[in-house]
């Protein structure tokens, strides 16, 4: 899977190793503020990019979107 890191990460994180990005606060993601990160932590215990990506609610939503794509085909 190819991904343009400049489009998904804040500038300070785009050239970091993947392990560092996954351990970074969710605010490392472009468009996610420090306040958003605090709210994600309060609501779901999410502290890092990896935590966010592994959040069961995110995975459920992704599965539903993927299922919808197969229904449309």
């Amino acid at each position: 899977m190819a991904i343009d890191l400049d489009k998904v990460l804040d500038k300070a994180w785009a050239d970091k190793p993947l392990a560092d990005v996954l351990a970074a606060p969710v605010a490392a993601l472009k468009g996610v503020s420090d306040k958003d990160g605090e709210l994600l932590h309060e609501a779901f215990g999410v502290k890092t990019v990896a935590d966010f990506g592994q959040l069961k609610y995110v995975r459920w939503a992704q599965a539903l979107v993927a299922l919808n794509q197969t229904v449309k085909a």
Side-chain angles (χ1 to χ4, degrees), residues 3-73:
I3 187 166
D4 184 351
L5 295 180
D6 289 329
K7 291 185 179 180
V8 299
L9 297 173
D10 278 348
K11 198 176 245 184
W13 291 96
D15 63 345
K16 303 286 186 206
L18 183 57
D20 291 353
V21 170
L22 293 173
V26 290
L29 296 169
K30 193 170 275 193
V32 179
S33 69
D34 289 333
K35 180 64 177 171
D36 295 333
E38 291 170 18
L39 293 172
L40 283 166
H41 183 254
E42 288 175 22
F44 302 110
V46 168
K47 293 181 182 178
T48 67
V49 171
D51 292 341
F52 190 47
Q54 294 170 351
L55 185 63
K56 67 181 176 183
Y57 306 108
V58 170
R59 291 195 321 262
W60 292 348
Q62 289 172 332
L64 290 168
V65 168
L67 180 60
N68 186 53
Q69 295 302 317
T70 63
V71 172
K72 288 181 177 180

